[in-house]
Amino acid sequence: MDPITMQNSTTSNLLRISGLASGIDTDSIVKQLMTAASQPLYQLEQQKQWLQWQQEDLQDINTKLLTLRDNTLFSMKLQGTYLAKTVSSNTSIATATAGVNAVNGTYQLTVKTLASAATATSQNTINSGDVINDTGNDITLTISNGDANSSATITIKSGQTINDLVTAINSVSNTTHINATYDSNLGRLFLVSSTTGSNSQINISESDTSNTILTKLNLYIQNGNNADFIFNNVEITNSTSNNVTVAGINVNLTGIGSTTLSVQTDTDTIYNSIKSFVDAYNDVITTINSKLTEQRYYDYQPLTDDQKKQMTQDDITAWQQKARSGDLSGNDNLTSIYYSMRNAISGTVIASDGTKMTLSSIGITTGQWYEGGKLYIDDTKLKDAIQKNPQEVMDLFTKITESTTDVNATPGSSQNDGIAARLYYIVNNGINSITKEAGGGQYQLYDNSFLGQQINDLNQRISDMQDHLNTLEQQYYDQFTQLETYMAQMNSQSQWLSQQLSG
């Protein structure tokens, strides 16, 4: 090729074929140059990875705080959690559970009659294959349970059997509250109302004037009865159900006779609720403390992709663990949440009777200093406090102090409020503060958090840097390509001169 012609070739049209004229390993040199030029990009990527680790760990802690707030503290700040009671009785006469308003004590119950449902039984024997309507015409049956709102009609076609009748009756049971079954062994139809009491009835009329179907069935109908029982010498006769509530006790009448209902505080249930709270609190406080005190290894920076290619997976994992360690050490939000939670736990609450209560007074104490605020339960002392002083235990966790200066004060914001109420307020604020710092995770459509904005800024800088490096790499190759062009020209001219001189 003519050297002059080669000068007119643009670099963008030249292939990257290194060292043809000069013998230089262009690719190797450009790679080294780009490695040096890419150091600022690596630093940006490391900064981004560091922020992402912080964001992920903060969101994980926020998930734990959400679980503590919604699954534990929400119920712990409600008085009903501490009003659980048990009721013992002769279960053949009655079973019972106590509502939150039931007063501990012994109650006498005598059941004279149980509430019953209306029933109907066919007195004639009917085989399953027997035709129930042999008139040659459709017959309409009107069925009700004692009031106009429960009335419904069904049509029995000529030639249909007892099984068709059962299907038709059950098809309208949502309206009539009457269900039908057929016992093929006995050859009998059974109807029963789903309601009980004196208003429970079974009424059936037939459109056929000769009462063809009703005559074949010959139903024996018995209407329902009210329950009749005596509770602490007070007779109650108008109960349409066997499930009754008296003096805050939910009673299910099961038989005729007398029994004693003994209402007591359900110590085990209340204890288990408090233990679940302590376990959930320990999980959160231990996690936060471990992240705040985690050692930072400054010599271990996040790995670049090129560095990972030169390492085994085990080495990468070990390196990343140390590189990530201490990412939340001294974090301001976590520090505030941690000490606020510990202050709430250690605070004093004045019960309704004036008694000063703390967690330690009911057997819940803090462990050694190096455990970072972990709580321990003295089972015997806690159960004894629940049994003997249930009101004080409830006040310790749930008490809300009425503010005389700020009517809009949030429950739990006062240092005089109950421990669960205080913690709920603190944890809720903590969740909000972490969300502002680290975002809401995968369920957040747009991350406008502090760390999220920093990561977005780094993403833009990384993109700009990559564009710059791509341009720089092309410039390097263009320069080396121009060098190869000049070298080729010189070699061609040298060969031409040598030919002229030798001629």
Side-chain angles (χ1 to χ4, degrees):
M1 180 180 293
D2 183 12
I4 303 301
T5 304
M6 291 186 66
Q7 288 181 342
N8 294 329
S9 300
T10 61
T11 57
S12 61
N13 293 327
L14 293 175
L15 297 176
R16 291 178 176 177
I17 303 176
S18 63
L20 290 180
S22 64
I24 297 174
D25 187 354
T26 303
D27 285 336
S28 177
I29 294 175
V30 171
K31 183 176 181 181
Q32 293 179 48
L33 289 171
M34 291 306 300
T35 298
S38 296
Q39 290 306 310
L41 175 64
Y42 297 152
Q43 292 175 358
L44 290 176
E45 289 177 339
Q46 288 174 329
Q47 292 176 33
K48 176 185 173 181
Q49 180 64 82
W50 181 251
L51 292 178
Q52 286 177 327
W53 283 340
Q54 289 180 308
Q55 188 177 47
E56 291 170 4
D57 286 345
L58 282 171
Q59 289 176 357
D60 287 343
I61 290 175
N62 227 14
T63 299
K64 287 181 176 292
L65 289 172
L66 280 165
T67 300
L68 175 64
R69 183 192 70 180
D70 297 340
N71 295 355
T72 305
L73 290 177
F74 179 78
S75 60
M76 289 299 292
K77 67 188 184 74
L78 300 178
Q79 292 185 352
T81 302
Y82 310 89
L83 296 175
K85 298 177 184 296
T86 59
V87 184
S88 60
S89 65
N90 181 345
T91 56
S92 64
I93 306 299
T95 60
T97 59
V100 295
N101 295 321
V103 178
N104 288 1
T106 300
Y107 303 86
Q108 301 299 322
L109 174 68
T110 299
V111 181
K112 299 172 68 175
T113 61
L114 294 175
S116 61
T119 61
T121 306
S122 62
Q123 298 183 80
N124 295 339
T125 302
I126 306 170
N127 296 322
S128 59
D130 288 351
V131 173
I132 198 71
N133 178 8
D134 54 6
T135 64
N137 301 311
D138 292 348
I139 296 177
T140 299
L141 294 179
T142 301
I143 306 173
S144 73
N145 191 22
D147 63 82
N149 294 329
S150 69
S151 179
T153 59
I154 59 175
T155 300
I156 307 301
K157 297 182 179 299
S158 180
Q160 287 190 323
T161 66
I162 186 68
N163 290 323
D164 296 317
L165 175 63
V166 170
T167 300
I169 293 174
N170 289 336
S171 69
V172 294
S173 61
N174 287 337
T175 300
T176 64
H177 308 293
I178 295 172
N179 294 280
T181 58
Y182 171 70
D183 189 325
S184 59
N185 293 324
L186 297 176
R188 303 291 178 120
L189 174 70
F190 296 93
L191 303 178
V192 62
S193 171
S194 60
T195 62
T196 58
S198 59
N199 292 328
S200 177
Q201 302 175 18
I202 296 178
N203 299 320
I204 302 179
S205 60
E206 183 177 333
S207 62
D208 183 51
T209 56
S210 61
N211 285 337
T212 302
I213 295 177
L214 293 180
T215 299
K216 288 184 178 182
L217 294 175
N218 190 18
L219 293 172
Y220 173 74
I221 299 175
Q222 186 171 3
N223 292 329
N225 292 311
N226 289 338
D228 183 0
F229 63 94
I230 300 173
F231 184 86
N232 272 11
N233 296 322
V234 177
E235 185 166 5
I236 300 173
T237 60
N238 61 351
S239 175
T240 60
S241 172
N242 290 315
N243 296 312
V244 297
T245 300
V246 186
I249 306 171
N250 305 310
V251 183
N252 180 36
L253 308 177
T254 57
I256 307 301
S258 298
T259 183
T260 297
L261 304 179
S262 180
V263 179
Q264 295 179 331
T265 299
D266 190 348
T267 303
D268 289 339
T269 296
I270 300 173
Y271 167 84
N272 289 332
S273 296
I274 296 175
K275 185 178 184 305
S276 296
F277 155 72
V278 169
D279 292 341
Y281 172 86
N282 283 342
D283 179 46
V284 171
I285 208 72
T286 300
T287 299
I288 294 177
N289 181 57
S290 65
K291 293 303 296 182
L292 287 174
T293 59
E294 196 172 44
Q295 183 176 354
R296 175 79 183 275
Y297 298 92
Y298 291 94
D299 293 336
Y300 289 81
Q301 295 298 317
L303 296 171
T304 64
D305 291 338
D306 288 340
Q307 290 172 328
K308 291 179 181 178
K309 292 176 182 178
Q310 303 172 25
M311 302 170 66
T312 65
Q313 185 58 50
D314 290 342
D315 290 339
I316 292 173
T317 301
W319 182 284
Q320 296 286 60
Q321 286 178 347
K322 286 196 172 183
R324 187 167 185 162
S325 176
D327 61 335
L328 297 180
S329 177
N331 179 276
D332 290 340
N333 267 334
L334 288 187
T335 300
S336 175
I337 294 168
Y338 175 76
Y339 284 108
S340 294
M341 290 178 67
R342 292 201 61 182
N343 286 337
I345 283 293
S346 61
T348 300
V349 177
I350 300 177
S352 56
D353 62 357
T355 303
K356 290 185 177 181
M357 298 286 293
T358 63
L359 282 181
S360 61
S361 65
I362 64 171
I364 303 175
T365 55
T366 305
Q368 299 297 322
W369 64 268
Y370 54 80
E371 295 180 284
K374 186 176 180 180
L375 299 178
Y376 289 90
I377 298 176
D378 182 329
D379 292 347
T380 301
K381 189 172 182 179
L382 176 57
K383 289 183 177 180
D384 186 62
I386 294 171
Q387 185 66 38
K388 295 180 179 179
N389 305 302
Q391 181 65 45
E392 293 179 4
V393 173
M394 181 173 69
D395 288 344
L396 176 62
F397 285 96
T398 68
K399 182 181 177 183
I400 297 296
T401 303
E402 296 294 337
S403 175
T404 57
T405 58
D406 184 3
V407 294
N408 296 317
T410 303
S413 59
S414 170
Q415 289 300 312
N416 296 321
D417 289 339
I419 287 175
R422 269 186 267 169
L423 275 177
Y424 188 93
Y425 174 79
I426 291 167
V427 169
N428 192 60
N429 286 343
I431 291 169
N432 292 334
S433 65
I434 290 178
T435 301
K436 290 179 181 178
E437 180 178 1
Q442 59 179 323
Y443 302 107
Q444 188 172 3
L445 295 178
Y446 177 73
D447 185 2
N448 59 354
S449 66
F450 176 72
L451 289 177
Q453 292 298 322
Q454 286 187 303
I455 292 172
N456 289 337
D457 179 64
L458 283 173
N459 281 333
Q460 184 60 52
R461 293 172 63 186
I462 288 171
S463 178
D464 294 342
M465 179 64 72
Q466 288 173 334
D467 291 341
H468 167 71
L469 292 175
N470 290 337
T471 301
L472 181 62
E473 183 182 40
Q474 185 61 50
Q475 289 177 355
Y476 284 147
Y477 273 110
D478 288 348
Q479 291 171 358
F480 278 105
T481 299
Q482 191 65 40
L483 174 62
E484 294 297 327
T485 300
Y486 292 150
M487 292 295 293
Q489 290 175 355
M490 296 298 294
N491 290 338
S492 178
Q493 290 175 359
S494 176
Q495 292 174 5
W496 182 80
L497 289 173
S498 296
Q499 290 175 357
Q500 295 299 318
L501 292 174
S502 62

